[in-house]
Amino acid sequence: MTLGKPRRTGPLRGRPLTLGSLFAAFWPRILGTWAMTLMEIALFALIPLLIGRAIDGLTGGDTAAFVQLAVALAVLILLGTLRRVFDTRAYGVMRVELGKDLARRSSDLPVSRLSARLGMGRELVDFLETELPEAMTALFRTFAAVVILFGFHPALAGTAAAAALVTLTIYGLAHGRFYRLNRALNEEAERQVQVLEGRSIPRLGAHLLALRRCEIRVSDTEGLVYGLIFTALLGSVLFNLWFATREIEITAGRVFSIVTYSWDFVEGALILPATLQSLSRLSEVTARINTPGNIR
């Protein structure tokens, strides 16, 4: 198969195919999407506050806060629509340029491996388009929750911070295993077209069983890691509930707020290991697509 020799043309210009290189080549588009994402996050954070003010205003016969809420919701709808329209076009360009550059660099590979690597390369752009904005939202939620909990009592924020540290430690210990399992899974994925070309049912069956074994190992590791992480995060919620009711002179409504923000912290913090796992997979993908031959 010949796709032509690699040429130093296009936005990537011979850079290694990594998240950093994509950002360097397409930073105006990426920063544009991130700016709109951050504005959406800020508006979402204000909505509960605006709803509360609207309720208070309407019960007192004042509609000003209600109008502010309606305007904020309209802006949120418009901003969300524009961001999605812009995202599709901006990240679509990245996928095209990444695919073209990867095809030129891997022109000596069999079609089966090139096809698999094109799919893997798209995962880099998918991460920038979908998972990274979700991680930004989660980080904002966890930070806001910790700040608000600190306003109630420093111990509540300290418990949340400790749970986050445990989460990072658990995932750090599992990172190497995730990398090795994803490497094995990607090896099987690269072989799939070649196996299909052989039109051998026994060989195809062996390939599918190998894929299944790899997927089970990844899933089992995910289950164990998430179980340990979830235990640490839920422990922080239970401690905050106990501490708020036993150690602080506080009303029932404030206890409810503490538990609500503690749970909001849990929901945001759970996105973190998912993002780290994606980075583990992408680190293996990045090494693979930047290596001309086979990785063993």
Side-chain angles (χ1 to χ4, degrees), residues 5 16 25 41 55 72 111 146 163 191 253 289:
K5 295 181 179 180
I41 294 171
I55 292 172
V111 174
V146 170
R191 294 181 57 245
I289 65 177

Side-chain angles (χ1 to χ4, degrees), residues 114-286:
L114 175 57
S115 175
R117 292 192 183 188
L118 286 174
M120 294 174 193
R122 290 174 65 90
E123 293 183 27
L124 297 176
V125 183
D126 291 343
F127 178 83
L128 292 174
E129 181 179 12
T130 303
E131 295 172 79
L132 190 54
E134 289 178 353
M136 292 167 59
T137 302
L139 286 174
F140 184 90
R141 290 178 64 188
T142 54
F143 177 77
V146 170
V147 170
I148 294 170
L149 287 171
F150 186 87
F152 287 112
H153 196 285
L156 302 175
T159 301
L165 180 60
V166 171
T167 296
L168 290 174
T169 301
I170 292 172
Y171 190 84
L173 295 173
H175 170 76
R177 178 169 174 80
F178 274 123
Y179 186 94
R180 292 189 297 273
L181 292 176
N182 282 316
R183 180 174 61 186
L185 186 61
N186 288 335
E187 279 291 336
E188 287 300 325
E190 286 193 350
R191 294 181 57 245
Q192 184 158 292
V193 174
Q194 182 181 2
V195 170
L196 291 173
E197 287 176 344
R199 299 184 181 278
S200 169
I201 298 301
R203 189 179 177 194
L204 175 60
H207 166 70
L208 294 176
L209 284 174
L211 275 178
R212 177 177 175 272
R213 285 193 295 269
C214 291
E215 291 166 350
I216 288 175
R217 292 190 185 105
V218 172
S219 178
D220 288 348
T221 304
E222 287 176 353
L224 177 60
V225 168
Y226 279 86
L228 293 173
I229 288 173
F230 207 39
T231 299
L233 294 175
L234 290 182
S236 71
V237 175
L238 293 175
F239 175 84
N240 282 355
L241 175 60
W242 175 85
F243 188 87
T245 55
R246 294 298 182 94
E247 303 296 327
I248 307 175
E249 293 184 5
I250 200 167
T251 65
R254 288 165 68 86
V255 171
F256 174 79
S257 296
I258 288 172
V259 174
T260 299
Y261 282 114
S262 296
W263 185 254
D264 201 44
F265 169 82
V266 169
E267 290 184 331
L270 281 175
I271 302 296
L272 181 60
T275 303
L276 293 175
Q277 184 182 345
S278 295
L279 287 174
S280 294
R281 174 169 173 77
L282 290 180
S283 64
E284 200 285 328
V285 167
T286 298

Side-chain angles (χ1 to χ4, degrees), residues 3-15 97 100-107:
L3 295 174
K5 295 181 179 180
R7 296 173 294 173
R8 298 180 62 82
T9 59
L12 293 171
R13 293 189 179 88
R15 295 187 177 108
E97 293 298 331
K100 288 161 56 179
D101 202 85
L102 179 57
R104 283 194 292 265
R105 298 180 190 205
S106 305
S107 59

